[in-house]
DNA sequence: GGACGGACCGACCGATCGGTCGGGTGACAT
DNA sequence: ATGTCACCCGACCGATCGGTCGGTCCGTCC
């Protein structure tokens, strides 16, 4: 299929083979994890022979690292854009979280791979360049959010807290709902991405961060 | 090794082979996921031949399902115990969450497998009895927490909210920090289980649920 | 004593894994 | 015309996968 798409100059608008490999691999890794996906399956989804994958990526760990790095790059860019808006630190923080919830729910695969890459230790043994690139994006994202949190605490719009443990909680709070598959669907009735469900999740996330859950005792 | 430990009547206090297989499998599955663990490795950790595993479990999916079910059973029991304490619904809810954070941080493998089983869809293809047992525990846990939330909302100690989406958020909030491995360690300085870090996480979790993060505008 | 069955084992099976190899094809520069 | 290079392929490799099989050992029951 797609006859004549293999000229040296990539047809404008058509993704390159490398990009299509990343797309297919991302989709599969998101569903079944690193060890659960075979390169034959990736190649078949792309429409290439398995050996062609090795022309674009040296081996499986590097392919996975590239998938992760691409996702983290997207998320970092989105967070940067969200935080660049105007408003108080607290407003920018809440807005960025809301944007992130929205973005992850639109791309559940991103949420899942992100979640995996954050809580699986020894998926990848080596320390490749692509892997370091991904870790750098993680650090950038963390430092961005940490900065706005610190700003908000200094300004008084965000209550004083330990920023790093708090970040850990927020990551789970934001990433998991978008990543939860059948469990999320069964819990709330229907897909997380469905407009009305997504609206509820965004609303509850915002209110939880903004107001907590327990009603303070008045007087 | 372990000469003379294979009498029919299990030595009192010594776990049975089945239990030791579950222990080893839980440890490995927690670290590398379902597809990332080979049965040879499980058997070797236990100190048995690989074929002996099939004497206790019919196949790999059933072993995994049994591991999951055992974890979910533990968690359900803990949640039930926590919620049985006295106090207002809001207090019982916060107490149960705190207990759960504590329990999961003590057994990070539980947190990881729980997280995996909640957001990986097609890990297990079939519908075995053990798998249904696990799903039943999930439903019991959900209904327990949902009940106390509803009670709190009715009594006024917990603000009105959509219980199911809220539950989804809370699961991510509670489970992820305990499951986060190297990422969590790098983010906060040191292991999540370390007493001072654990105290911080418990404190921030409680305050986030109780008060939120943003300081309400007074006046 | 002899049959039985639970627990365990080594050897083996077909399938699939990640990865290699040699070669083919077409665009392009010389 | 020739060489080069990016891209792609089928065939193949050793290793490992989940799972089966026949058989051993030993305590229990009749």
């Amino acid at each position: 299929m797609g006859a004549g798409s293999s000229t040296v100059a990539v047809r404008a608008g058509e993704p390159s083979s490398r990009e299509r490999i990343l797309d297919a691999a991302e989709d599969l890794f998101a569903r079944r994890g690193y060890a659960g996906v075979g390169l034959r399956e990736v190649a078949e989804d792309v429409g290439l022979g398995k050996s062609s994958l090795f022309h674009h990526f040296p081996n499986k760990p590097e392919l996975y690292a590239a998938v992760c790095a691409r996702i983290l790059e997207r998320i970092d860019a989105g967070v940067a854009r969200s935080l660049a808006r105007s408003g108080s630190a607290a407003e920018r923080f809440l807005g960025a979280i809301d944007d992130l919830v929205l973005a992850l729910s639109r791309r559940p695969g991103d949420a899942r791979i992100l979640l995996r890459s954050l809580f699986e230790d020894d998926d990848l043994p080596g320390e490749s360049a692509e892997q370091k690139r991904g870790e750098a994006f993680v650090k950038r994202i963390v430092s961005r959010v940490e900065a706005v949190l610190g700003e908000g605490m200094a300004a008084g719009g965000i209550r004083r807290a330990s920023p790093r443990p708090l970040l850990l909680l927020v990551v789970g709070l934001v990433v998991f709902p978008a990543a939860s598959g059948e469990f999320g669907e069964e819990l709330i009735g229907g897909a997380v991405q469905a407009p009305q469900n997504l609206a509820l999740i965004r609303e509850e996330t915002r209110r939880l961060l903004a107001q907590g859950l327990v009603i303070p005792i008045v007087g």
Side-chain angles (χ1 to χ4, degrees), chain A:
Chain A
M1 46 180 74
S5 71
S6 63
T7 53
V8 164
V10 174
R11 192 97 50 94
E14 300 220 350
S16 65
S17 278
R18 187 174 201 276
E19 220 66 23
R20 293 198 300 130
I21 291 170
L22 285 172
D23 288 339
E26 178 176 334
D27 203 61
L28 289 169
F29 284 140
R31 286 213 294 271
R32 287 199 292 281
Y34 175 75
V37 174
L39 295 183
R40 281 166 180 81
E41 197 178 359
V42 176
E44 196 167 339
D45 275 24
V46 181
L48 289 178
K50 185 193 52 142
S51 40
S52 300
L53 300 186
F54 292 91
H55 183 73
H56 299 275
F57 303 93
N59 48 43
K60 191 187 180 187
E62 291 263 7
L63 170 59
Y64 185 71
V67 167
C68 289
R70 198 175 63 150
I71 291 174
L72 291 166
E73 186 171 17
R74 269 199 296 258
I75 293 175
D76 178 53
V79 169
R81 199 178 334 116
S82 298
L83 289 179
R85 284 201 288 258
S86 63
S88 71
E91 286 167 354
R92 277 181 289 136
F93 171 74
L94 289 179
I97 295 296
D98 188 53
D99 290 347
L100 188 52
V101 169
L102 193 59
L104 289 177
S105 79
R106 283 199 214 281
R107 299 184 62 98
D110 284 18
R112 291 194 187 193
I113 292 183
L114 177 62
L115 200 56
R116 266 191 240 269
S117 73
L118 291 183
F119 87 94
E120 295 186 351
D121 290 341
D122 34 31
D123 247 6
L124 289 310
E127 287 283 331
S128 71
E130 204 71 18
Q131 200 171 340
K132 289 185 180 296
R133 211 169 73 91
E135 292 177 9
F137 280 123
V138 171
K139 287 184 181 168
R140 285 179 61 177
I141 298 168
V142 166
S143 68
R144 284 186 208 279
V145 181
E146 198 177 5
V148 72
L149 275 179
E151 189 186 332
M153 293 184 194
I158 296 178
R159 61 149 240 269
R160 296 266 166 199
S162 314
R164 313 299 275 268
L166 186 60
L167 261 175
L168 201 56
L169 303 186
V170 171
V171 169
L173 181 74
V174 168
V175 178
F176 175 75
S180 78
E182 291 184 359
F183 172 72
E185 288 197 21
E186 285 190 25
L187 186 58
I188 62 188
V192 172
Q193 305 96 304
Q196 68 274 25
N197 294 332
L198 179 54
L200 282 176
I201 288 176
R202 291 171 66 190
E203 166 79 2
E204 291 302 335
T205 304
R206 201 191 63 79
R207 291 181 66 184
L208 189 57
L209 288 173
Q211 314 163 20
L213 191 57
V214 174
I215 296 175
I217 298 172
V218 182

